[in-house]
């Protein structure tokens, strides 16, 4: 009851201020309403309030507000088993945190949700375009985890080349040809010539 009373106070405070400055505060009011509905186990009301918060914050230039609302909406959706929507919202939150310059928050999201990090979208028409190569280079150089680097390189190469499957085999790790489903001849050719 104490926490609900505090949420109600926050809601009322935001409601008063949002009446005077809706573009600045209405999205935060919707966030508080969504959190209150989620806490009181009324998911339908929470969905509507999160949707309103996301819609309203999209109209203002406040990257950290957009990131915070998207992150909280993602947590709600994932808690109710809506993983696809949750992951899309987490990616959006990550992008907004990065735009705001919150590198520690981006790193935290990357650590907690490694699936968020994906290669930039580059279609086959732009694969030879220096901008596509630059975007790929940035994606690979931005990877902060050595464990995730092979997956980032694979995703980037698949995006650049349009390949349906990419396997990265590291020289200093044991090669499991059957797991990678690569012909042994390909690996021997690469080893012998040193060429891709």
């Amino acid at each position: 009851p104490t926490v609900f009373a505090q949420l109600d106070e926050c809601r009322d405070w935001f409601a008063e201020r949002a009446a005077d400055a809706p573009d600045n505060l209405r999205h935060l009011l919707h966030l508080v309403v969504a959190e209150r509905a989620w806490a009181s186990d009324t998911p339908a009301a929470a969905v509507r309030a999160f949707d309103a918060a996301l819609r309203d914050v999209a109209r203002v230039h406040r990257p950290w507000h957009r990131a915070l609302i998207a992150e909280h909406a993602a947590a709600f959706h994932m808690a109710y088993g809506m993983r696809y929507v949750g992951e899309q919202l987490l990616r959006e939150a990550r992008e907004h945190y990065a735009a705001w310059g919150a590198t520690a928050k981006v790193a935290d999201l990357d650590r907690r949700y490694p699936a968020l990090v994906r290669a930039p979208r580059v279609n086959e028409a732009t694969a030879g375009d220096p901008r596509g190569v630059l975007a790929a280079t940035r994606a690979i150089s931005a990877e902060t985890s050595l464990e995730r680097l092979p997956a980032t390189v694979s995703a980037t190469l698949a995006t650049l080349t349009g390949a349906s499957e990419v396997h990265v085999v590291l020289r200093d790790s044991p090669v499991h040809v059957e797991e990678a489903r690569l012909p042994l001849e390909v690996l021997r050719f690469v080893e012998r010539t040193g060429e891709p």
Side-chain angles (χ1 to χ4, degrees), residues 4-113:
F4 284 137
Q6 290 173 344
L7 280 171
D8 291 341
E9 284 179 35
C10 287
R11 180 199 57 214
D12 296 343
W13 186 90
F14 275 110
E16 287 175 18
R17 275 129 196 101
D20 294 331
D23 290 341
N24 290 334
L25 295 169
R26 187 173 47 213
H27 54 281
L28 295 175
L29 171 62
H30 290 309
L31 175 62
V32 173
V33 170
E35 293 287 348
R36 173 66 162 88
W38 183 10
S40 61
D41 200 26
T42 52
V47 166
R48 287 190 300 274
F50 276 123
D51 184 69
L54 289 163
R55 188 179 57 247
D56 283 353
V57 78
R59 297 183 190 129
V60 298
H61 183 68
R62 301 232 184 349
W64 76 272
H65 286 191
R66 294 177 86 170
L68 181 71
I69 290 170
E71 183 182 10
H72 281 245
F76 166 80
H77 283 82
M78 293 177 90
Y80 279 90
M82 295 176 273
R83 189 157 191 82
Y84 180 81
V85 173
E87 287 178 358
Q88 294 300 320
L89 287 167
L90 280 172
R91 282 189 185 92
E92 187 177 318
R94 184 186 185 281
E95 288 173 17
H96 293 306
Y97 280 127
W100 184 44
T103 55
K105 185 63 178 178
V106 170
D108 178 58
L109 287 174
D110 289 350
R111 182 186 52 75
R112 290 189 295 146
Y113 307 100

Side-chain angles (χ1 to χ4, degrees), residues 118-127 132 135-136 152-166:
R118 64 180 179 195
R121 292 185 179 161
V122 181
N123 62 34
E124 289 179 34
T126 61
T152 301
V153 170
S154 292
T156 303
L157 288 173
T159 302
L160 281 173
T161 63
S164 58
E165 214 171 307
V166 173

